Amino acid sequence: MVDNSFVNELASASPTPGGGGASAYCGMLAAALSSMVGELTVGKPRYADVQDECMRCLEDLAARRVRLEQLIAEDAEAFAPLAASYRMPHDTPEEREAKKAVQQAALAGACSVPLEIMEQCAAVIDDCAFMAQKGSRMAVSDAGASAIMAKAALQAASLNIFVNAGSMEDAGAAGEFRNEAHSLIREYGAKADEIYAYVSKEVGA
């Protein structure tokens, strides 16, 4: 039985969970799918020569799932003060200044969490590459699906960074967040595409 509590909460009018939490959840699914490929690989005589590396990947993927689940909650916590600031009064110059101060203080956290989500998804893509190349051939399509899901999570999380960085008055910090996000997309988006292309060829697409 599928537990739809997160999905139902995501579908509600509540501002959290939102895109960041959904990205982390998608990354968890990608990590879980690659883990399945690994579990179908270990213990099989045909893959004895890669068993140790596969076990290391499985340990890493398990850690990524745990951290991504934590980041769902952390993303909501980071966004809460920003969401609250939108409801602050802004009728007087003092109120407007106070509102702006709260927003600017919250924006860095609202960028930092999705950036870590991206980093976790990038690590999942690294593990996907191993699973696609060296994992069980009977599950190679799942390794490809995992890579594309991780790429989607990577790109989705980046949008939270870009939208929040766009409101930051600290241009240096905003630029750093944007540059890190773009760098991860370039490197790991391309890697995910390579995995997908390889798997597509393997399955005769």
Side-chain angles (χ1 to χ4, degrees):
M1 186 76 176
V2 176
D3 181 0
N4 288 321
S5 56
F6 175 81
V7 175
N8 290 336
E9 190 175 2
L10 186 65
S12 75
S14 172
T16 57
S23 301
Y25 191 80
C26 184
M28 285 176 61
L29 293 176
L33 193 53
S34 268
S35 293
M36 185 194 78
V37 179
E39 293 292 350
L40 291 169
T41 304
V42 295
K44 303 296 193 299
R46 178 180 175 182
Y47 306 106
D49 59 334
V50 298
Q51 173 140 324
D52 289 346
E53 190 174 357
C54 189
M55 289 297 296
R56 285 192 294 271
C57 279
L58 282 170
E59 290 172 3
D60 184 66
L61 287 163
R64 303 298 168 189
R65 293 200 309 273
V66 170
R67 184 61 187 138
L68 283 162
E69 184 174 13
Q70 293 169 343
L71 286 166
I72 293 174
E74 290 181 23
D75 184 71
E77 290 167 6
F79 184 73
L82 190 58
S85 75
Y86 296 138
R87 299 188 295 272
M88 291 176 66
H90 53 276
D91 297 323
T92 68
E94 293 78 13
E95 288 175 342
R96 287 192 289 273
E97 191 62 29
K99 179 174 183 173
K100 183 172 75 171
V102 171
Q103 288 177 337
Q104 291 302 312
L107 284 167
C111 288
S112 296
V113 177
L115 181 59
E116 186 178 349
I117 293 170
M118 291 185 73
E119 291 166 347
Q120 293 293 327
C121 291
V124 171
I125 290 170
D126 275 335
D127 290 327
C128 288
F130 170 81
M131 294 302 179
Q133 294 280 346
K134 304 294 185 181
S136 171
R137 293 300 86 191
M138 68 181 289
V140 67
S141 61
D142 298 295
S146 173
I148 292 303
M149 291 169 66
K151 178 189 175 184
L154 183 83
Q155 291 178 308
S158 77
L159 297 178
N160 280 32
I161 295 171
F162 298 138
V163 71
N164 290 316
S167 298
M168 293 178 72
E169 292 186 343
D170 185 338
E176 187 173 338
F177 278 121
R178 289 193 192 97
N179 289 340
E180 290 187 39
H182 281 303
S183 178
L184 286 166
I185 291 170
R186 280 194 302 270
E187 180 177 357
Y188 289 94
K191 189 167 189 175
D193 288 341
E194 290 170 4
I195 297 167
Y196 178 78
Y198 168 79
V199 170
S200 294
K201 185 176 179 181
E202 287 290 296
V203 299

